[in-house]
Amino acid sequence: GINAEYMGNIYGGSDECNHIIMKGCLLLGISILFINFALCEDLFTLRSNVSPINSKNFQKQINAQRIREVSMILFFKDVDARVLAIARKYEEFANEYKGVFKIFFVDCAKEGPLCKTHKVETFPLMRVYPPLPAPSFDLPIGDVLDTKKLLEEASGYIPKPEIEILTPSNLNVYFESKVDKPKVVLFTKHKGIPFVLKAIAHTYYDTMHVGLVRDTEEEILKKFKITAIPSLIMVRRKSEKPIFYKGEMNYNSIFDFLNPYSEKFIFGDAKKKMKEEEQKLLKPWLSEELPELTRDSADDVCYKLGKLCVIYIAKAEPNSSTKSTIQKIKNKYALDNKFTYMWLNAALEKNFFNMFHIEESELPKLVVLNVGSIKRMLIHSRSITQPDIEKTYDSIYNGDARFTRINLKSFPELIERENKPKPDLQQSSLTCLLYTSPSPRDATLSRMPSSA
């Protein structure tokens, strides 16, 4: 709303002056439009550590990660100076904690149906998605995003990391165990476990073995020639000298230092593969479409997997139609990797069946069982059809499902079944795998590597 004619009259009123002022007003208007466009389009760049979420990737990037990851989404609609300031703080947070959390944004101006589905009605909104069965929750946002509060709330849901507290009595056991994983050891004055080590253990949970040494363990400090606290070392193999980390004690720097060493050793993978093949012969339920929950199979199909156990309860083995329905559910949610499936013989496993407080006349039934330290169950109240089962799954994902606490320290004993003869592994068709690593001189030769 700049009046060029009025401005021209103030500064002399000549045609030349008016022309210059009109050009200036035009450039100013274009600049304002450009700034507004930039605010809308470049809130997060393609190189940002804050990734976009839309209706097509929500299932894969959010729901499928809720077995052990903590994700968060910034929902916004109209971009103004406040949203821009919040976005900058959010990006700083993402730059510091990429890998610890899954960090995303949703532009509700473009993804209206998605925001409506997830009941996002106020903007901007920060929503945190912890591992299931914990429900998602919203974090209030003022004029500025409180990243300290965001870290405090979100980090509380990171699964308890596997960190060994090392002393002279267990040091050798630590380095001799899990030989297929490099060892990462932090020497610290911290009385608890520093967040940075929890974050590293969470990020590299399946590729590295993490340990902690207190500064009071003088014997270990002397053994590794530690002169400064905190210090961090990485040992690829017990026979090798430790590699000392020399950077700053923050997550990003340590992550970059460890990342080149994070891949599993090939020998460990080959050994694991052969063990899996052998186990399939000794434990047939590992390869069954819908295994039965028994004393022998319970650990492998439910108890030790850290997943939600979906149990079809009936007096007899499910028919092909039921197995087909459950298989369709398995396929649809396979990427999530948070459910495991089985059936329970209510006629045989009466003690276990009675735990659910279901009448025999109500069978068959579908139950979702949380086998964590606090045991909970969710009884599927609808029909055992794909559409109705999906409704129950949706309630779990949305945090609307009401799990009932099971007031037991341990589950009822499953009965002892008749022992079946074990397969003869010598007559089996186990595959022997040979992995080789070519030496540099073999790079240009078309023959078996010398290391073979």
Side-chain angles (χ1 to χ4, degrees), residues 275-339:
K275 186 176 180 180
E276 287 175 353
E277 294 293 331
E278 180 178 322
Q279 288 301 309
K280 285 181 181 180
L281 292 171
L282 294 173
K283 301 179 177 182
W285 51 83
L286 293 177
S287 55
E288 290 176 352
E289 181 183 14
L290 188 66
E292 183 181 359
L293 181 63
T294 66
R295 178 180 289 192
D296 290 338
S297 71
D299 284 352
D300 297 323
V301 303
C302 180
Y303 292 170
K304 297 291 183 69
L305 298 183
K307 301 179 183 181
L308 295 176
C309 303
V310 180
I311 308 174
Y312 175 83
I313 305 175
K315 293 182 180 179
E317 184 174 356
N319 58 34
S320 58
S321 176
T322 300
K323 287 183 178 179
S324 176
T325 297
I326 294 177
Q327 186 61 45
K328 289 175 183 176
I329 294 294
K330 287 173 66 175
N331 293 341
K332 179 167 183 178
Y333 296 93
L335 286 174
D336 298 13
N337 194 31
K338 62 173 59 66
F339 299 100

Side-chain angles (χ1 to χ4, degrees), residues 2-13 18 21:
I2 300 175
N3 191 314
E5 183 178 356
Y6 171 74
M7 293 295 291
N9 290 334
I10 291 176
Y11 290 100
N18 287 343
I21 291 172

Side-chain angles (χ1 to χ4, degrees), residues 69-84:
E69 300 293 348
V70 179
S71 303
M72 56 190 68
I73 301 178
L74 173 64
F75 294 89
F76 63 88
K77 193 171 185 180
D78 298 319
V79 179
D80 54 19
R82 173 176 171 244
V83 171
L84 185 62

Side-chain angles (χ1 to χ4, degrees), residues 61-71 99-102 129-134 154-163 181 197-208 210 251 305-308 335-339:
Q61 296 294 343
I62 302 299
N63 290 342
Q65 303 300 319
R66 294 186 69 184
I67 186 66
R68 69 177 310 275
E69 300 293 348
V70 179
S71 303
V100 183
F101 307 107
K102 305 294 183 183
Y129 296 83
L132 291 170
S155 61
Y157 290 92
I158 295 176
K160 185 178 179 181
E162 185 179 343
I163 298 175
K181 294 183 179 181
L197 193 65
K198 291 180 182 178
I200 289 298
H202 175 70
T203 302
Y204 293 115
Y205 77 99
D206 60 345
T207 57
M208 290 194 170
V210 179
Y251 171 80
L305 298 183
K307 301 179 183 181
L308 295 176
L335 286 174
D336 298 13
N337 194 31
K338 62 173 59 66
F339 299 100

Side-chain angles (χ1 to χ4, degrees), residues 168-442:
S169 62
N170 69 354
L171 188 68
N172 285 334
V173 174
Y174 169 75
F175 280 100
E176 290 170 359
S177 65
K178 300 183 181 180
V179 294
D180 59 328
K181 294 183 179 181
K183 306 293 186 288
V184 180
V185 181
L186 176 69
F187 300 84
T188 180
K189 294 179 180 178
H190 204 290
K191 292 182 179 179
I193 298 177
F195 174 75
V196 67
L197 193 65
K198 291 180 182 178
I200 289 298
H202 175 70
T203 302
Y204 293 115
Y205 77 99
D206 60 345
T207 57
M208 290 194 170
H209 195 188
V210 179
L212 180 144
V213 176
R214 310 284 184 202
D215 64 329
T216 53
E217 300 291 353
E218 295 181 3
E219 183 180 335
I220 302 179
L221 289 152
K222 185 177 180 180
K223 175 181 176 66
F224 288 100
K225 300 178 182 179
I226 302 299
T227 57
I229 301 291
S231 288
L232 185 138
I233 63 172
M234 195 278 300
V235 182
R236 289 190 292 186
R237 298 177 182 85
K238 186 182 178 183
S239 59
E240 295 184 6
K241 291 182 178 180
I243 300 172
F244 282 79
Y245 170 67
K246 299 179 180 180
E248 295 182 14
M249 281 295 169
N250 59 59
Y251 171 80
N252 269 338
S253 301
I254 296 174
F255 173 88
D256 292 338
F257 165 71
L258 295 174
N259 202 39
Y261 307 102
S262 67
E263 293 184 359
K264 292 181 180 179
F265 299 141
I266 290 176
F267 176 75
D269 282 346
K271 185 177 180 180
K272 180 181 176 183
K273 180 67 177 176
M274 292 185 69
K275 186 176 180 180
E276 287 175 353
E277 294 293 331
E278 180 178 322
Q279 288 301 309
K280 285 181 181 180
L281 292 171
L282 294 173
K283 301 179 177 182
W285 51 83
L286 293 177
S287 55
E288 290 176 352
E289 181 183 14
L290 188 66
E292 183 181 359
L293 181 63
T294 66
R295 178 180 289 192
D296 290 338
S297 71
D299 284 352
D300 297 323
V301 303
C302 180
Y303 292 170
K304 297 291 183 69
L305 298 183
K307 301 179 183 181
L308 295 176
C309 303
V310 180
I311 308 174
Y312 175 83
I313 305 175
K315 293 182 180 179
E317 184 174 356
N319 58 34
S320 58
S321 176
T322 300
K323 287 183 178 179
S324 176
T325 297
I326 294 177
Q327 186 61 45
K328 289 175 183 176
I329 294 294
K330 287 173 66 175
N331 293 341
K332 179 167 183 178
Y333 296 93
L335 286 174
D336 298 13
N337 194 31
K338 62 173 59 66
F339 299 100
T340 179
Y341 301 82
M342 66 222 67
W343 76 279
L344 177 76
N345 191 325
L348 294 178
E349 303 291 353
K350 292 183 186 268
N351 287 339
F352 200 93
F353 167 62
N354 290 336
M355 174 181 69
F356 300 111
H357 302 292
I358 298 172
E359 298 293 332
E360 288 191 13
S361 58
E362 298 178 72
L363 297 178
K365 273 285 185 182
L366 203 65
V367 173
V368 182
L369 187 64
N370 178 4
V371 297
S373 55
I374 300 176
K375 297 167 176 56
R376 297 184 177 93
M377 66 177 178
L378 174 68
I379 298 176
H380 171 71
S381 58
R382 302 179 178 91
S383 66
I384 303 178
T385 59
Q386 185 176 351
D388 278 349
I389 296 174
E390 288 176 4
K391 289 176 183 176
T392 294
Y393 274 48
D394 288 342
S395 71
I396 294 173
Y397 283 122
N398 296 332
D400 299 329
R402 294 291 176 260
F403 280 78
T404 302
R405 183 165 181 168
I406 301 172
N407 295 316
L408 296 172
K409 290 184 178 180
S410 59
F411 292 118
E413 284 283 337
L414 293 158
I415 66 171
E416 186 74 43
R417 304 289 182 93
E418 290 185 10
N419 291 326
K420 297 180 180 179
K422 293 184 177 181
D424 184 357
L425 295 180
Q426 292 183 351
Q427 300 298 321
S428 71
S429 56
L430 288 176
T431 304
C432 179
L433 303 175
L434 173 65
Y435 287 87
T436 66
S437 299
S439 65
R441 68 175 181 274
D442 296 320

